[in-house]
Amino acid sequence: MRRLDIHLKAGDRFDNVLSAVKASEPVDYYILDTEQKDRRLISVFIREGVEQVLMDNVQSALEGSNGWRISILPIEATAPKLEEATEGKQVKSQQATREEIYSDVATGARLDRNFIVMVILSTIVATIGLNSDGVAAVIGAMVIAPLLGPVLGFSMGAALGDDNLLKKSTLTLAAGIGVALALSLALSFVLPINLESRELMTRAEVRLDGLALAMAAGGAAALSLTSSQASALVGVMVAAALLPPGAAVGLFAGAGEWPLALRACLLLALNVAALILSALIVFRLRRIRPRSWIEQKNANRAVLLNALLSGFVLVASVALILYLDLGNKVSIG
């Protein structure tokens, strides 16, 4: 169960909002007069899965009005026990509201000092782990890498047609990858490259199973976010597709191993496109879209553009992978 607190002015629109609340068949609701004159608070207790409909209806009822706010609060427990929804009533799958998802994504896509520091620390650990063939160090770097936020932010921005979120997420993701590349390149002049490291050399192997990993990671990240599930472990999967290849590019480039650096760069580009595309697909399947039809039109255009761009990168990368594999087979034969 969730609780929605609706703060608004007492007036004509109050009746419209109250009608929307009653139409949602809430478990319970109450109305309070506040200390501020001409303002009221409606607290609505509603089953999980239908809060998005109520929020959309209330926002539509308050369209053009000012001085209102809706807050969502989780209910950890309630007594007496809440009866299961009777057969015939709508039972929807549990899903976070659009506003909750947007708030989480916007926070994770923020470019600030903490983000840069975490990228620096994770890159140092990843670079040392890759070069020393330390599996534990590479895994530890993926745990602390904060790259999940901007990836989901980009896909969410495309799903909603939100240019501000798209720009912010793009800047944050570019800054994170750029810092990882620059720092690993600088470390390559201090650390003698170890071409016998399995952890390092696997980041120069571009294969189709790596594409499947990135697609699964992006889809799982978006699904966990929309389902209000913990996404910490999913963040490790996303970081696994981005941070080690990025650190490998810097190490190979600093050592003058340009063919290996290009392969690692191809793997990085492939993973970025796969993560964004799969997350975008999940957002669309979960019906994460704007409320008004005008915003939906802009969102559809943004989704199409980003899907075509990501798809082009994926197709080009797969074609290059197949070409490289064919060249290796011919040279071996």
Side-chain angles (χ1 to χ4, degrees), residues 30 40 43 70 85 88 90 100 111 113 122-123 136-137 141 176 226 234 237 251 257 268 288 297 312 314 318:
Y30 60 85
R40 288 185 176 181
S43 283
I70 304 174
Q90 57 178 355
E100 289 176 293
L111 178 59
R113 182 181 303 175
S122 59
T123 301
T226 58
V234 180
M237 293 177 61
L251 281 175
E257 299 289 343
L268 178 61
I288 305 300
K297 185 177 180 181
F312 173 77
L314 288 177
V318 170

Side-chain angles (χ1 to χ4, degrees), residues 261-298:
L262 289 175
R263 283 176 172 268
C265 189
L266 174 61
L267 176 61
L268 178 61
L270 179 66
N271 287 345
V272 170
L275 287 169
I276 291 175
L277 181 60
S278 59
L280 182 58
I281 291 173
V282 171
F283 282 142
R284 295 297 287 183
L285 291 177
R286 299 284 282 182
R287 300 184 181 277
I288 305 300
R289 60 189 62 185
R291 182 172 54 88
S292 66
W293 71 270
I294 297 178
E295 293 174 334
Q296 288 181 14
K297 185 177 180 181
N298 295 332

Side-chain angles (χ1 to χ4, degrees), residues 10 14 30-36 38-42:
F14 177 83
Y30 60 85
I31 303 171
L32 293 177
D33 293 323
T34 66
E35 294 181 356
Q36 295 176 300
D38 299 328
R39 291 194 64 83
R40 288 185 176 181
L41 167 65
I42 305 178

Side-chain angles (χ1 to χ4, degrees), residues 110-163:
R110 184 184 303 147
L111 178 59
D112 53 18
R113 182 181 303 175
N114 290 335
F115 178 84
I116 296 298
V117 170
M118 292 297 288
V119 171
I120 290 175
L121 295 177
S122 59
T123 301
I124 293 174
V125 176
T127 303
I128 295 175
L130 288 173
N131 200 54
S132 63
D133 202 17
V135 178
V138 175
I139 295 176
M142 294 184 297
V143 171
I144 63 177
L147 299 177
L148 174 62
V151 170
L152 290 179
F154 189 94
S155 300
M156 183 74 174
L160 295 179
D162 191 319
D163 293 336

